[in-house]
Amino acid sequence: MILFPAIDLKEGQCVRLAQGDMDRATVFSDDPAEQARAFERVGFEYLHVVDLDGAFAGAPRNASAVEAILAALTIPVQLGGGIRDMRTLSRWLDQGVARVIIGTAAVKDPSFVREAARLYPGRVAVGVDAKDGCVAVDGWARATRMSALDLGRSFEDAGVSAIIYTDISRDGVLTGLNIDATLALADALTIPVIASGGLASLADVERLLQPDCRKLAGAITGRALYDGRLDPAQALALIRRARAATEDA
């Protein structure tokens, strides 16, 4: 399992939203690149970045901040937010993004996802952002009638590298991951699933390391890191011990 620290970008700053509400943003850093370096220094292996303004606008809005993050790191970065066409997607991959995350366009233009996954195998993920089981788009501002499960299943044969499942109602409010819904999605799909939304403490990391969660490819953590509720050294040590135990077995 990979634990992804999250950097959400709004107007060039690192912020955390509560339940995806742009009016409930807390600024944690004015220097996203330095925040990214701090995450790498402590031992994280992969960074999760979202251009929040881009998600609402439908096109990149924090490009300079993303470029500074890419220049600052040696670990891989996955990026979402405002990636709605092949030109944008290709540009980010060419600039060093390891994996792009397609959210809104996965609902509105599924053929784009399929073509992107064909052209860039292993480098395209789908963001499945759901509230009460139904997918939300356009920066989570608009709900659809499509279920998270139906969206995930629609890409089973597309070659996408991962599904990032976010429970919007839990995102940024530190109530714990929706393990049941995430595992139900992972059970129904062959695509690796990454959990997102609500990770609050070391206890959540311990839960993710239980046998029934071994099917998950990872989890994303944001506010708990910034608030100091989750000690990254402790969390990463737990994960390393779990990996070692699995390898020994």
Side-chain angles (χ1 to χ4, degrees), residues 8-25:
D8 289 353
L9 298 168
K10 181 176 185 287
E11 298 175 358
Q13 298 174 311
C14 295
V15 306
R16 295 303 297 169
L17 305 185
Q19 298 176 320
D21 187 344
M22 289 287 269
D23 293 328
R24 298 167 66 192

Side-chain angles (χ1 to χ4, degrees), residues 107-108 129 131 133-138 142-148 151:
V107 177
K108 296 183 175 181
D129 307 319
K131 186 173 183 180
C134 291
V135 174
V137 296
D138 298 327
R142 186 174 68 83
T144 73
R145 295 182 179 179
M146 178 178 288
S147 74
L151 180 59

